[in-house]
Amino acid sequence: MGVESFCSADAAEPFWDWNLTWHTENPDFTPCFQNTVLVWIPCIYLWVCFPVYFLYLRYHDRGYIQMSHLNKAKTALGLILWIVCWADLFYSFWERSQNIFRAPFFLVSPTVLGITMLLATFLIQYERIKGVQSSGVMMIFWFISLSCATIIFRSKIIHALNMDAEVDAFRYVTFCSYFVLLLVQLILCCFPERPPLFSETVNDPNPCPESSASFLSRITFWWITGLMIQGYRTPLEAKDLWSLNKEDLSEEIVPGLARNWAKECAKTKRQPLNMLYLPKKQQKSNDSNGDVTEEAEALIIKPTRRNSEASLFKVLYKTFGPYFLMSFLFKAAHDLLMFAGPEILKLLINFVNDKGAPNWQGYFYTGLLFVCACLQTLILHQYFHICFVTGMRLKTAIVGVIYRKALVITNSARRTSTVGEIVNLMSVDAQRFMDLVTYINMIWSAPLQVILALYLLWQNLGPSVLAGVAVMILLVPVNAVMAMKTKTYQVAQMKSKDNRIKLMNEILNGIKVLKLYAWELAFREKVLEIRQEELKVLKKSAYLAAMATFTWVCAPFLVALSTFAVYVTIDKNNILDAQKAFVSLALFNILRFPLNILPMVISSIVEASVSLKRLRVFLSHEELDPDSIIRGPVRDVEGSIIVKNATFSWSKSDPPSLNSINFTVPEGSLIAVVGQVGCGKSSLLSALLGEMDKKEGCVVVKGSVAYVPQQAWVQNATLEDNIIFGREKNESRYKCVIEACALLPDIEILPSGDRTEIGEKGVNLSGGQKQRVSLARAVYCNADVYLFDDPLSAVDAHVGKHIFEKVIGPKGILKNKTRVLVTHAVNYLPQMDTILVMTDGEISEMGSYQELLKQDGAFAEFLRTYANAEQNMENSDTNSPAGKEGKPIENGVLVKEAPGKLVHSSETGKSQHQSSTAELQRPLAEKEKNSWKLTEADTAQTGRVKATVYWDYMKAIGLFISFLSIFLFMCNHIASLASNYWLSLWTDDPVINGTQQYTNVRLGVYGALGISQGIAVFGYSMVVSIGGIFASRHLHLNLLHNVLRSPMSFFERTPSGNLVNRFSKEMDTIDSTIPPIIKMFMGSTFNVIGACIIILLATPIAAVIIPPLGLVYLFVQRFYVATSRQLKRLESVSRSPVYSHFNETLLGVSVIRAFEEQKRFIQQNDMKVDANQKAYYPSIVANRWLAVRLECVGNCIVLFAALFAVIARNRLSAGLVGLSVSYSLQITAYLNWLVRMSSELETNIVAVERVKEYAEMEKEAEWSIEQAAPVSTWPQEGKVEFRGYGLRYREDLDLVLKNINVTINGGEKIGIVGRTGAGKSSLTLGLFRINEAAEGEIVIDGINIAKIGLHDLRFRITIIPQDPVLFSGSLRMNLDPFDQHSDEDIWRSLELAHLKNFVSSLPDKLNHECAEGGENLSVGQRQLVCLARALLRKSKILVLDEATAAVDLETDNLIQSTIKSQFEECTVLTIAHRLNTIMDYTRVLVLDRGEVVECGSPDNLLQKKGIFYSMAKDSGLV
């Protein structure tokens, strides 16, 4: 009664009237309801939001926005609205005074509304002060107010048009003005304010439009459209990307996490004793007395030790929890809305069944369905956006924290995990967190969805639901078992893949040897053997995948079948009508997602918890104590380094490695530290740098420190950056440093001088160059104390001398600095001020050179050992013509570092004058080529993928299988459509006496259709998987064959990384990514087509609307793919610098600490991470953009399906309406999936293109030509004739050899000599046809070698190459890969090669496994293995590319004598570097600039006094 009296003065007017509102053709609300509820809804909303929103604004201040016209207008309108509301109130008071008594709500509502308008006005201003540019809260408020007002407005108009109604003129006027004002407010609210004062966006060249976008633009992701258009027109580049939002930057995020982690650690470290006596000392937990207190604590804490692990999860939650909480609310709202669909469907079906219901109800339901769907879309994607952004921040934070930690952990902690593992923490583990964040909410959301769905199903069908649920629950363990199996198969596949890639790597690195020996086929077999294993496993996992697809596709059907069967058979009176059937189907479709995703989420959580543990362990490693060494000026002590009875160890637990060290270094003196290997010289320097754990004593190092490590550390930056190392550049000083460090000649060789980019780990520098760069860095930084760890060992003697004189020694640049030099070079010791002699971690003697000699102790003994060695070194050094390391042409050293990258200069013999220019261009050309090549490798991905690629893939599968799979797909979807159509016919069966006829027939056919569907699914799954395996076998075989058939020039031009990538990454994509994607792509395509067909069947008029929507869809999709693909590429391109920079930092961490450059490196890391996230952020937003657009297309389909069903309700059966709407409800999900899959397919099919790329490359000549094959005994005598022979490396280069006319008779021994680059090696390359002749010919025993197959030629002549290459595998395989020889032969060859004793001493004898590249044999032994190979083949012609560097003199003599005795009647061609080896040969050819200049016996040539004589003189033979 209370409500009634509130509604009118005399309690006559009702509050609610069903007849007025529902059961009528023209619905309306009672005046009372309009003036109370509809007015109060917006007010309640705003007042509920106000406290939360107010607090949020207080703590999130974005800066102050100046008053603008927009803001003034909003405020003014707000005040006018308040005046209008209260005008009503005063009018009511005035009426009272006139004794017109109105209902109480005429007083209450205007009052409430007026106060709310004041609040709204206040919020408009408060938002401006706090820098909110566009407000969602206010937007929603104005929207709700306007919606409610529209209903009242319609009602008022109807009322006014009613002739006999009295009209309250004043209130009509106020209401109309109120309505107009609301409309204007809403429109104004759509525009964003100007940015706050002093905000970052002002000075940002390319700010992210998100912060200044309006609320509407934000919820629909409209603000990214500009970037999408740009990306559609031209491929995006890195400079087009926006800067990150301030709150996503590393420097904002990382410190937060670091702070929380530090707090957490401090808390767990000292739990109980916190209060007692350590209030201040929380920061420094590991200074020396910290240890003691910690132990004391440990005793007290013991019982509760368990829980005192610092919990990383807590910390992450604390840092990212609040933002994440929003996602919780969004997800919950979305889950509830999800169930609105089936419920509204129920109402719709009832409406179609009830012919008496007024039409507007149908439109109302349709509208409601559409609004729910749109809300669901907007909420879901806001949720995803929050998740992805949180994931991104989480990754940024984790990477940043790991990087900062890596700079401070102790060396012992560093050793517990390899560099690779730590980099993995950054890449794999951080990625896992990122992936988990999007799913983590499913942990509560999935059960919630299941419970809700079951509740609604129970209401619909009663207990028979349990049958369906039972089926679902049974399928869960089946899926779980399959997942486990798949995992084990994956591991097995990875293993064989790793083996295959390792082998490929070796093949590509040793390709030259393979070609010279004609061993390609043997190795091809080896690779294919491994590949076979891999494909076996792949096949197994394909069967599993087929099973999994089968269960996933058939689950919903089986569930529906079992439920309906039980429901119909339990009781005759259970009727399956449209409402029950289709609402249940819709609910089952909802159920299917959470049940399938749960196992995935759980396994993902398990993985993430493993990662969490690994991260926690890494972040809890002990850190270096910054205070163990006192740096900086100390007044009262003399000397610049003072060490008093200090004892050091590498970690707290290790025994000390340096004991009671005492010494003082006066300022500006030069100290040498000497001692045997492993006596602690380098440790001493590490101790001075604070890298070791100080047990006792005190260490003072005055001033700044520069450090040159034993193994030079070079960054991947320009040479100049490496030397300047973050200091500002001072031109004159820089020049002087470079000069002193003997870097000038090197800089001249480098392609772009000191601006040359140096590769990772300094691959394009020789060891000596790296060491000098490292030295120059130290010298340039102008520190007070210099620590040199044996920098002279890596450089040649004369360069070492130069450096000592110009830099380190008493007359060098650093003569006034304090220098500590660890050295082995005895000859510099007399110039030292003091010498420290170390033995076993202690200083045994100390004093000047003369004093120590007099003592005749350890030092004198040290001198004796080293002096003899030095003597020998010096002599050999002066002899060898290549003694000078700085010579441009001897860049042969350059090359050895990275066989895959640069061309061996010593093998590319070019004429001298070319050599210098060509050599100078070579690194440049290589560089350009590399960069050019790398970009070429990626170009395949720009633009659309050509249709031919798909056709190629289909051909690789086999056309029969391709069309069979398409046919099976069709069958499956036809069966599925038929079964659902059958269901709709079943539900329309008339009900007679409370039961349906033919129930069993209906059920039987339904079941049969379902089973046929299942068979088809299984069939196409199998066919696609097996087809995929055929394709990958075929493509791999082709790729392997083509790569092995490529000429040598191809391998020199292509970085081996690219090739290995084709074999690993691209093949992996073809093996395991493409088939499932094809399955899902086909599946979702047919699903969408099926849904459209059903809608057209039910309501043919939909044909008008589906094509335009389809066009919109296609347009959006094409638009998106162009941008998204490019963003993906930018993201992956910017990802590798993060890892490589981290890798570099880990290798050079001691240098960074010594120079105190940590801050700069942290900044660099942050910049690299941000650059990566800069590309990642738009790509996640682009995904959201697409999804919102597509779901809108899907929602439109739902709208029209329902709308046309309502329009045609009289012709349609309820069954068809249910069918059509329940299909359209699924279409959004399918559309989303379809675009995902089509873009995935496009990105991945590129792999096929890139693998095919190499099939079209140039090939070398045929391996064997049947017609021209020489007789098996060829060559009988071994006579070699060069007739007018010429050779060039590439078409565009000059000839390297020209008109060579030489006849070599069988059995002659010929030496080939010449300066470096004269073309000696080119001659052998021509003989083996590694390069084809440019002019003339080579004839062996009367056969022109250009006419026969390559293998025929290369099998018959033997070479002992310059650098001995072994492959991993047994020793036997290395000697005889084709298994042509018996064991006796092999043993005999080993005996002749002086390896028999060594091999018989091995446990596995001939089956001894050689490591990759033969690492587990010494270089000399490898050379002897190559000799044994030659002895086994025993061919008539032997070519010796003499190995200079590799072999000591003893082995060299062995090889020479063996060759003399064993190859007596063979023709031997030796390319000689040491002339003494060929002095007894029959003839010597002297080459110069590619021509033969002298030819004759050695003695004749010596008498001629020509080139040969001068060379002999240089070598000291004359």
Side-chain angles (χ1 to χ4, degrees), residues 1103-1347:
V1104 182
I1105 211 72
I1106 284 178
L1109 282 176
L1111 282 174
V1112 170
Y1113 170 83
L1114 275 175
F1115 173 69
V1116 166
Q1117 198 257 12
R1118 286 260 52 92
F1119 209 73
Y1120 158 80
V1121 168
T1123 307
S1124 137
R1125 194 176 34 217
Q1126 202 58 19
L1127 284 172
K1128 249 201 189 112
R1129 284 183 57 213
L1130 287 174
E1131 197 261 336
S1132 63
V1133 165
S1134 62
R1135 193 177 328 138
S1136 28
V1138 177
Y1139 303 145
S1140 47
H1141 176 242
F1142 185 44
N1143 221 331
E1144 235 168 41
T1145 308
L1146 286 173
L1147 294 172
V1149 72
S1150 52
V1151 177
I1152 296 171
R1153 285 184 217 159
F1155 284 92
E1156 293 183 318
E1157 285 287 314
Q1158 292 98 319
K1159 215 178 195 129
R1160 183 168 68 90
F1161 274 82
I1162 287 175
Q1163 264 168 354
Q1164 272 184 4
N1165 180 58
D1166 284 355
M1167 269 167 53
K1168 288 187 161 63
V1169 172
D1170 288 345
N1172 182 24
Q1173 302 295 33
K1174 231 161 106 171
Y1176 177 69
Y1177 186 65
S1179 75
I1180 54 182
V1181 179
N1183 279 339
R1184 302 281 70 81
W1185 179 90
L1186 172 80
V1188 170
R1189 303 287 172 284
L1190 289 189
E1191 287 195 16
C1192 286
V1193 173
N1195 295 342
C1196 288
I1197 292 180
V1198 175
L1199 170 71
F1200 287 115
L1203 188 65
F1204 293 142
V1206 171
I1207 290 172
R1209 65 189 272 219
N1210 298 325
R1211 293 199 312 281
L1212 283 183
S1213 65
L1216 270 176
V1217 174
L1219 184 64
S1220 132
V1221 176
S1222 68
Y1223 257 97
S1224 70
L1225 279 176
Q1226 289 177 54
I1227 208 165
T1228 34
Y1230 291 144
L1231 282 178
N1232 234 334
W1233 203 227
L1234 183 59
V1235 163
R1236 279 280 158 71
M1237 286 304 119
S1238 57
S1239 65
E1240 284 281 287
L1241 189 58
E1242 271 206 21
T1243 15
N1244 286 310
I1245 202 84
V1246 168
V1248 179
E1249 189 175 21
R1250 294 174 69 167
V1251 166
K1252 294 288 279 187
E1253 218 181 2
Y1254 284 150
E1256 277 83 62
M1257 293 289 175
E1258 45 163 351
K1259 301 283 168 285
E1260 42 180 14
E1262 285 299 320
W1263 277 343
S1264 54
I1265 303 168
E1266 286 297 317
Q1267 311 77 287
V1271 284
S1272 57
T1273 53
W1274 175 88
Q1276 282 96 349
E1277 61 172 318
K1279 178 180 178 188
V1280 182
E1281 304 172 61
F1282 290 88
R1283 302 181 181 165
Y1285 185 74
L1287 174 76
R1288 57 162 60 99
Y1289 278 113
R1290 283 212 310 271
E1291 270 65 69
D1292 48 347
L1293 296 177
D1294 301 343
L1295 289 171
V1296 220
L1297 295 175
K1298 33 195 181 293
N1299 54 31
I1300 292 190
N1301 287 297
V1302 179
T1303 302
I1304 299 166
N1305 297 315
E1308 275 198 295
K1309 307 283 178 284
I1310 302 283
I1312 302 173
V1313 297
R1315 302 259 180 227
T1316 305
K1320 304 188 295 284
S1321 300
S1322 310
L1323 209 53
T1324 57
L1325 296 183
L1327 191 58
F1328 280 89
R1329 281 176 63 201
I1330 294 290
N1331 292 60
E1332 298 290 346
E1335 54 191 43
E1337 56 186 15
I1338 302 178
V1339 177
I1340 298 180
D1341 279 7
I1343 293 185
N1344 178 355
I1345 62 168
K1347 300 277 187 289

Side-chain angles (χ1 to χ4, degrees), residues 823-898:
T823 184
H824 285 163
V826 187
N827 43 351
Y828 304 129
L829 293 181
Q831 307 182 36
M832 301 291 171
D833 300 336
T834 322
I835 299 173
L836 296 183
V837 185
M838 295 197 69
T839 38
D840 302 332
E842 296 185 358
I843 296 182
S844 53
E845 302 177 84
M846 180 174 172
S848 69
Y849 188 74
Q850 302 303 333
E851 290 167 19
L852 293 178
L853 276 181
K854 285 190 192 110
Q855 288 179 18
D856 196 33
F859 177 67
E861 189 186 331
F862 169 79
L863 273 187
R864 281 184 213 108
T865 25
Y866 272 93
N868 304 337
E870 283 284 312
Q871 254 15 73
N872 298 349
M873 285 278 298
E874 294 281 302
N875 298 346
S876 68
D877 223 63
T878 45
N879 294 353
S880 72
K884 261 186 92 194
E885 188 230 15
K887 255 197 205 161
I889 338 167
E890 265 315 304
N891 263 356
V893 215
L894 243 178
V895 178
K896 292 244 170 71
E897 303 282 315

Side-chain angles (χ1 to χ4, degrees), residues 288-506:
S288 44
N289 43 357
D291 280 0
V292 190
T293 54
E294 233 173 291
E295 267 171 34
E297 265 171 79
L299 297 174
I300 306 169
I301 297 174
K302 266 293 172 340
T304 59
R305 195 69 191 170
R306 196 173 41 80
N307 56 3
S308 70
E309 290 254 277
S311 153
L312 184 58
F313 179 73
K314 242 196 249 167
V315 174
L316 289 175
Y317 179 74
K318 219 174 178 168
T319 319
F320 299 104
Y323 186 62
F324 202 62
L325 207 70
M326 288 294 293
S327 74
F328 174 88
L329 299 172
F330 279 131
K331 183 71 180 151
H334 171 256
D335 283 357
L336 293 174
L337 273 174
M338 217 154 95
F339 291 100
E343 288 306 292
I344 297 169
L345 175 62
K346 193 187 212 165
L347 296 171
L348 241 175
I349 293 175
N350 281 347
F351 162 75
V352 173
N353 274 335
D354 173 13
K355 301 294 180 201
N359 268 344
W360 69 268
Q361 289 182 6
Y363 299 126
F364 172 68
Y365 291 142
T366 305
L368 203 57
L369 197 57
F370 182 63
V371 168
C372 275
C374 288
L375 265 180
Q376 206 178 323
T377 297
L378 294 178
I379 288 178
L380 177 66
H381 294 297
Q382 280 309 311
Y383 159 71
F384 272 141
H385 186 58
I386 289 180
C387 284
F388 276 112
V389 171
T390 310
M392 176 176 103
R393 290 181 186 172
L394 188 64
K395 186 175 174 186
T396 301
I398 287 176
V399 170
V401 169
I402 291 174
Y403 190 85
R404 285 158 172 73
K405 180 74 181 183
L407 287 174
V408 294
I409 60 175
T410 60
N411 284 313
S412 56
R414 249 296 302 285
R415 277 200 216 103
T416 54
S417 36
T418 62
V419 173
E421 278 172 28
I422 301 179
V423 174
N424 259 353
L425 281 179
M426 211 174 215
S427 51
V428 183
D429 296 331
Q431 192 61 44
R432 271 192 194 151
F433 277 107
M434 206 158 148
D435 297 340
L436 180 67
V437 168
T438 38
Y439 286 131
I440 189 105
N441 276 320
M442 289 309 288
I443 273 294
W444 58 266
S445 157
L448 173 76
Q449 286 179 28
V450 171
I451 290 164
L452 271 173
L454 288 182
Y455 169 70
L456 292 172
L457 276 167
W458 185 281
Q459 279 200 330
N460 219 8
L461 296 176
S464 39
V465 171
L466 295 175
V469 175
V471 173
M472 282 192 167
I473 289 171
L474 278 176
L475 286 176
V476 169
V478 173
N479 278 345
V481 169
M482 280 197 226
M484 296 293 293
K485 272 294 219 213
T486 315
K487 224 13 161 236
T488 53
Y489 286 150
Q490 255 174 348
V491 172
Q493 188 201 337
M494 286 306 286
K495 208 163 148 193
S496 32
K497 187 178 135 193
D498 288 347
N499 286 336
R500 180 168 58 92
I501 298 309
K502 193 172 129 212
L503 184 59
M504 279 313 302
N505 234 331
E506 287 191 57

